[in-house]
Amino acid sequence: MRKENIDAFVVSRPENGRYLSGFSGGEATLYITSEKAFLLTDFRYIEQAKAQAPEFKIIKTGQDHFEAMAEIGQQAQRLGFESDFVTFETFEKLKDAFPHAELISLPNLVSHLRSVKDKSEIDLIRLAVQIADDSFAEILKTIEIGQTEEEIGLNLEFSMRRAGASGGSFEFIVASGVRTSLPHGTASSKQIQLGEFLTMDFGAIYQGYCSDITRTVFLGDPGDKHREIYETVLAAQRAGIKAVAPGRSGKEVDAVARKLIAEAGYGDYFGHGLGHSVGLAIHEGPNLNMREERLLEPGMVITVEPGIYIPEWGGVRIEDIVLVTENGCEVLTQAPKEFIILE
Ligand SMILES: [Mn+2]
């Protein structure tokens, strides 16, 4: 805040509010000055906020937080806000509440802090990853020809919730057969059959922290092309992981995996970035993609997930989560990724 020369910073994004205050209830606004930190919320959350955010002064508001904020912040000259999150309507209300202040757009102030995780955050991510790993092992035992993709998705969610997850970290992707060429094919009522790939992309939320894993398995007897595509993606994924190290840019790491896929002749079939950071949100920065200039730092937690998707035929994606360390990275995901064939 000193560097940006602002008197106060308004935090509206729930993950950022949780990160800074500890309050997990979502519907709060933080108003932070150089001397004091306020958490504004309504009747429903007062008790919870007092317990979870002891370093904040809790202010009870109505549904609308602007009036109370204006009272606290009368002297603010330069007011920072999260321009990547507030709606146009909220912006207008902020302007009305602080008619004499200059509103300063600071989209990445907190998300940049969040990108390097501390030990307690890493411990929670490890647990979220372990829950997903265990559920993958469990789901392999229950998959049967004729099940729908939705059924498999539901079983994954059940097993993760049973293991302590508060929920799934996003809408799961369960795609089989030709649908595996859809990088984001959410589970449908299609029944799985022999002779198909089955891609499962899922994750758990554990105490607010997310995990994310993708595994593609084969049902029945794979052909040479199925094996070739799988091995190409796996080689690219391993090469991507090997390239993760502090000081490397997201662009450089992405290029390593992308080059391998292109050299195998499938460059046109890998149309998304190699990975994204994970934490309180499922998709955070920095990313691994063709444009990412940010350099990796120890403590960042990021996915490595190349894929090859051939329309009308099918596709493969393999995704692990890695922790950037002083010398390279540690792969947090423990689920096996050799080509799994379910008979
Ligand atoms: Mn992912």
Side-chain angles (χ1 to χ4, degrees):
M1 286 173 62
R2 209 175 293 133
K3 210 165 94 191
E4 301 290 348
N5 189 26
I6 53 174
D7 306 311
F9 185 52
V10 177
V11 179
S12 326
R13 190 186 277 278
E15 302 94 87
N16 289 348
R18 178 172 186 161
Y19 181 78
L20 294 174
S21 73
F23 175 67
S24 66
E27 293 189 41
T29 306
L30 306 185
Y31 185 91
I32 301 171
T33 72
S34 56
E35 277 98 41
K36 266 198 146 164
F38 300 90
L39 186 154
L40 298 89
T41 191
D42 67 76
F43 172 79
R44 296 169 297 168
Y45 297 105
I46 297 297
E47 204 179 335
Q48 181 183 351
K50 281 184 178 158
Q52 290 183 325
E55 289 169 65
F56 282 69
K57 183 165 168 50
I58 312 300
I59 309 281
K60 185 174 153 187
T61 66
Q63 292 291 333
D64 181 313
H65 301 171
F66 300 98
E67 207 177 304
M69 228 187 310
E71 263 173 52
I72 301 167
Q74 273 165 0
Q75 298 97 349
Q77 300 289 310
R78 284 171 56 85
L79 187 70
F81 75 104
E82 297 174 307
S83 54
D84 61 331
F85 185 79
V86 304
T87 60
F88 186 70
E89 189 183 333
T90 302
F91 177 75
E92 294 282 303
K93 284 183 179 170
L94 264 177
K95 263 193 350 197
D96 290 345
F98 297 90
H100 306 297
E102 190 185 347
L103 295 186
I104 312 294
S105 155
L106 293 171
N108 297 317
L109 199 63
V110 185
S111 66
H112 276 211
L113 294 175
R114 271 174 46 205
S115 59
V116 173
K117 275 75 180 172
D118 66 22
K119 186 175 178 303
S120 65
E121 295 184 283
I122 293 166
D123 287 346
L124 293 176
I125 294 172
R126 278 183 201 280
L127 288 167
V129 168
Q130 198 190 328
I131 289 171
D133 282 346
D134 291 348
S135 294
F136 178 67
E138 211 171 288
I139 201 77
L140 288 181
K141 293 182 218 150
T142 69
I143 290 173
E144 276 174 34
I145 298 306
Q147 278 176 334
T148 64
E149 295 168 357
E150 282 159 344
E151 227 174 313
I152 294 169
L154 184 62
N155 287 339
L156 279 168
E157 181 150 355
F158 261 121
S159 102
M160 292 199 299
R161 299 280 301 253
R162 225 181 274 119
S166 61
S169 51
F170 55 95
E171 193 183 349
F172 298 161
I173 291 158
V174 181
S176 59
V178 291
R179 294 190 75 251
T180 51
S181 70
L182 306 170
H184 273 188
T186 50
S188 78
S189 58
K190 178 188 172 301
Q191 293 177 303
I192 63 169
Q193 294 166 25
L194 284 173
E196 293 184 335
F197 276 129
L198 171 63
T199 298
M200 291 165 281
D201 183 352
F202 59 100
I205 301 177
Y206 185 75
Q207 293 189 21
Y209 283 83
C210 298
S211 63
D212 194 1
I213 175 176
T214 307
R215 287 294 182 266
T216 303
V217 301
F218 199 85
L219 309 166
D221 194 10
D224 290 344
K225 189 166 176 185
H226 294 117
R227 289 181 187 279
E228 184 208 332
I229 302 270
Y230 192 90
E231 294 306 328
T232 303
V233 173
L234 184 57
Q237 206 257 356
R238 291 192 197 280
I241 289 174
K242 249 180 119 179
V244 171
R248 293 254 168 84
S249 70
K251 229 162 100 167
E252 280 174 84
V253 177
D254 178 276
V256 170
R258 197 166 300 281
K259 184 163 170 253
L260 226 137
I261 289 177
E263 279 170 0
Y266 297 105
D268 291 342
Y269 303 105
F270 175 30
H272 60 73
L274 182 64
H276 55 90
S277 292
V278 174
L280 285 169
I282 184 67
H283 293 121
E284 303 185 351
N287 293 295
L288 304 176
N289 65 32
M290 290 193 270
R291 298 165 308 281
E292 183 61 83
E293 308 274 0
R294 282 181 71 190
L295 304 183
L296 297 175
E297 294 172 46
M300 288 179 171
V301 175
I302 199 158
T303 70
V304 180
E305 50 177 311
I308 293 176
Y309 314 91
I310 302 174
E312 319 274 303
W313 184 79
V316 171
R317 178 169 62 257
I318 303 167
E319 172 181 33
D320 288 338
I321 290 188
V322 306
L323 165 67
V324 183
T325 59
E326 296 294 332
N327 309 309
C329 74
E330 177 193 343
V331 182
L332 302 183
T333 309
Q334 297 296 317
K337 57 186 172 186
E338 294 302 335
F339 198 18
I340 294 174
I341 295 163
L342 300 176
E343 308 278 336

